[in-house]
Amino acid sequence: QVQLVESGGGLVQPGGSLRLSCIASGFTFSLYSMNWYRQAPGKGRELVAAITRSGGSTNYADSVKGRFTISRDNFKNTVYLQMNSLKPEDTAVYYCNALGTTMNYWGKGTLVTVSS
């Protein structure tokens, strides 16, 4: 069965760093573009970062550009989100998403809280 399992969330102070991981199983990982979304309380879902199947191209939301880095390891079936210079407005549940030609898979999310 298909699974996307996120980890690495937690409480961090403003200016701190955190690395999220998403381990995929049950499908051919290398055939899927991978994305990180986030949902803050009272706000809509936002696409944070995206990476192509080979990992050769990435895109970021303007709000995180220069601070976040998405990467993937197709041998480990894992996508990462390195988050630096974190701000309170980055507080949200972060979701891993796999986007294929006809199928779309979602993880259950991991909570990131940025607070003093």
Side-chain angles (χ1 to χ4, degrees), residues 1-44:
Q1 55 272 44
V2 170
Q3 279 194 305
L4 295 174
V5 181
E6 302 100 331
S7 63
L11 176 64
V12 64
Q13 292 184 321
S17 297
L18 216 56
R19 189 180 78 157
L20 306 183
S21 299
C22 173
I23 301 176
S25 60
F27 65 101
T28 305
F29 182 76
S30 62
L31 296 181
Y32 287 74
S33 297
M34 298 298 299
N35 309 295
W36 285 98
Y37 286 83
R38 68 185 181 187
Q39 179 83 50
K43 296 186 177 181

Side-chain angles (χ1 to χ4, degrees), residues 16-107:
S17 297
L18 216 56
R19 189 180 78 157
L20 306 183
S21 299
C22 173
I23 301 176
S25 60
F27 65 101
T28 305
F29 182 76
S30 62
L31 296 181
Y32 287 74
S33 297
M34 298 298 299
N35 309 295
W36 285 98
Y37 286 83
R38 68 185 181 187
Q39 179 83 50
K43 296 186 177 181
R45 187 180 66 182
E46 176 188 21
L47 177 62
V48 176
I51 189 166
T52 54
R53 291 179 291 275
S54 66
S57 183
T58 59
N59 286 288
Y60 300 93
D62 288 341
S63 59
V64 307
K65 202 167 295 180
R67 300 188 297 120
F68 290 12
T69 303
I70 187 171
S71 61
R72 68 189 295 163
D73 186 336
N74 285 351
F75 289 104
K76 295 182 178 179
N77 289 345
T78 303
V79 62
Y80 306 94
L81 185 67
Q82 178 66 47
M83 305 184 293
N84 299 324
S85 302
L86 283 162
K87 305 174 181 179
E89 49 264 46
D90 294 319
T91 296
V93 177
Y94 285 72
Y95 297 94
C96 178
N97 165 250
L99 179 62
T101 304
T102 59
M103 300 296 291
N104 198 356
Y105 305 121
W106 292 88

